[in-house]
């Protein structure tokens, strides 16, 4: 990776629609969660920009050759990966400043994104179908075709990784796209758009991107009959609204929603290896991650040792500015979310025992930022917000269980089913528990590992559809069956007996 760019292409940052840079009449500020300072300005899009982007994508799909040329799509995805690679260091630095990830974690996001696009360049060439002679003189073929215009709604917590996770398979499938990126990462968005603009293999109107601070343009993507599929990553609450509104036009939806990842620790797990991983699972991306390990379930016979060890590690976490190389955890997205997280911890303290208080940093040089120290509370109750609600911040619930059956019951006791982890040296038990937990991804003796070739997605209220793997491209495709009747060959002709 190298830094060919260090700032947004325009000031204020603009949108990329129909192959052109477009501004908006409304301008907003990009704010650093580390310092509270204004980093730059951007054009705040809305319904007007969304409508222009939809029209451009619709025209490109209906009149262009993009959907018929998998070789072009593969080349374009590889070229886009190269253009992002040229800007990856600058994008990572800007994401770190705008969103609050440590620079190392933001760089990891950029690296993931490149591999995702290159994987999808391969899947673009792996078009599959079936054909058969189903009766004498009758031939049938079933082929996958792009569904049409894809609307992609991206959250602020991983703007590049979660964009390309949907954009890659959408382009590989042959769709044209309209992308809504979040205002919180507007300057990073502009660098991403600059990479798209520099990708000469992408025809005009195939990728259209607008940045929105409010909530006007995204609903239009969901409502418009000219958008054929919606890919949304975000909260379960909003995901349900997307599904409901999309149903008005019988639109397909692919939703990756909230999570409440349980980390199930049996008595034979190695505390020196696993306890630091539990802390990483909580503080990675500042706890603002759908797969955050926000629940730790420990077998009761060893709970005291684990409670003490995890608490000790949490208290030592170095919280600091995202650009400080010594920081293990940066700020959350803004001070509004600091107060929201702390309100949930204060409420939980009425029914749960505080092990590590954590909380807002209100003194010293970090007081200007949106910093929240990790917290841990213990409860045995399941029907409480600490256990049932996604906090989206560095707050851990500590729970105990007696045996395997109770561990499974507790792990499955929420509406969520995005991910889980099981820690044990007993291979058979690991497989039994992983099979019984209702989640789209279950890690065994690890956490947070993803691979572009293997699907991820939610069970229960954590979503519909799958990202990554070959299934991801299928979310953006329809199956068309063609049946052709031809004159039967002599061997197919009915034969009559003669005397």
């Amino acid at each position: 990776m190298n830094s060919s760019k260090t700032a947004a292409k325009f000031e204020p940052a603009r949108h990329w629609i129909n192959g052109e840079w477009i501004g908006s009449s409304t301008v907003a500020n990009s704010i650093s969660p580390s310092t509270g300072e204004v980093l730059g300005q951007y054009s705040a899009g809305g319904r007007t920009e969304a409508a222009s982007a939809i029209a451009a994508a619709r025209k490109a799909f209906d009149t262009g050759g993009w959907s018929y040329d998998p070789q072009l799509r593969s080349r374009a995805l590889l070229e886009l990966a190269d253009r992002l690679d040229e800007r990856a260091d600058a994008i990572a630095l800007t994401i770190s400043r705008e969103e609050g990830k440590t620079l190392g974690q933001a760089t990891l996001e950029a690296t993931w994104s490149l591999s995702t696009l290159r994987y999808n360049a391969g899947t673009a060439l792996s078009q599959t179908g079936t054909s058969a002679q189903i009766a004498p003189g009758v031939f049938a073929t079933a082929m996958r075709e792009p569904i049409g215009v894809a609307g992609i709604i991206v959250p602020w917590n991983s703007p590049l990784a979660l964009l390309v996770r949907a954009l890659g398979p959408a382009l590989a499938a042959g769709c044209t796209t309209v992308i809504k990126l979040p205002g919180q990462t507007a300057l990073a968005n502009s660098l991403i758009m600059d990479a798209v603009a520099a990708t000469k293999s992408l025809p005009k109107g195939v990728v259209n991107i607008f940045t929105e601070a409010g909530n006007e343009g995204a609903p239009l993507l969901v409502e418009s009959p000219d958008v054929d599929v919606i890919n949304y990553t975000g909260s379960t609450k909003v995901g349900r609204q997307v599904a409901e509104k999309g149903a008005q036009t019988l639109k397909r939806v692919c939703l990756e929603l909230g999570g409440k990842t349980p980390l199930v620790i049996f008595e034979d797990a190695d505390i020196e290896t696993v306890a630091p991983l539990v802390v990483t699972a909580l503080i990675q991306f500042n706890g603002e991650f759908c797969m955050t390990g926000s629940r730790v379930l420990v077998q009761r016979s060893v709970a005291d040792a684990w409670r003490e060890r995890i608490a000790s590690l949490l208290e030592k976490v170095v919280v600091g500015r995202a650009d400080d190389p010594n920081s293990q955890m940066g700020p959350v997205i803004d001070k509004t979310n600091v107060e929201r997280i702390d309100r949930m911890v204060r409420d939980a303290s009425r029914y749960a025992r505080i092990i590590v208080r954590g909380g807002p940093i209100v003194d010293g040089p970090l007081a200007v930022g949106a910093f929240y120290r990790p917290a841990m509370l213990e409860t045995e109750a399941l029907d409480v917000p600490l256990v049932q609600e996604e906090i989206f911040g560095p707050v851990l619930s500590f729970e105990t269980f007696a045996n395997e059956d109770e561990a499974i019951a507790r792990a499955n006791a929420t509406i969520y089913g995005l991910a889980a982890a099981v820690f044990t040296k007993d291979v058979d038990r690991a497989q039994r528990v992983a099979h019984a937990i209702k989640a789209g991804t279950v890690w065994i003796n690890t956490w947070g590992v993803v691979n572009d070739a293997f699907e991820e997605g939610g069970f229960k209220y954590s979503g519909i559809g799958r990202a990554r793997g070959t299934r991801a491209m299928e979310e953006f495709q329809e199956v068309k069956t063609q049946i052709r009747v031809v004159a039967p060959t002599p061997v197919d002709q009915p034969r009559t007996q003669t005397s």
Side-chain angles (χ1 to χ4, degrees), residues 260 278-289 292-295 314 317 319 328-333 337-338 340-342 345 356-360 370-377 386 390-397:
K260 196 72 178 174
V278 169
V279 173
T280 297
L282 179 68
I283 69 172
Q284 184 88 328
F285 305 148
N286 312 329
E288 297 168 318
F289 181 37
T292 291
S294 55
R295 298 176 66 200
L314 283 177
V317 169
V319 180
Q328 292 176 280
M329 191 180 86
V332 298
I333 189 64
N337 275 278
V338 169
R340 177 190 60 78
I341 294 165
D342 201 53
V345 171
V356 178
R357 175 58 179 91
F371 294 95
Y372 198 93
R373 296 191 189 280
M376 180 169 78
L377 297 92
L386 179 67
E390 185 177 38
I391 295 178
F392 222 63
V395 179
L396 181 68
S397 68

Side-chain angles (χ1 to χ4, degrees), residues 400-420:
T400 65
F401 62 87
N403 52 42
E404 190 175 309
D405 288 343
E406 186 181 359
I408 294 167
R410 295 191 77 91
N412 288 333
T414 74
I415 63 172
Y416 298 109
L418 187 58

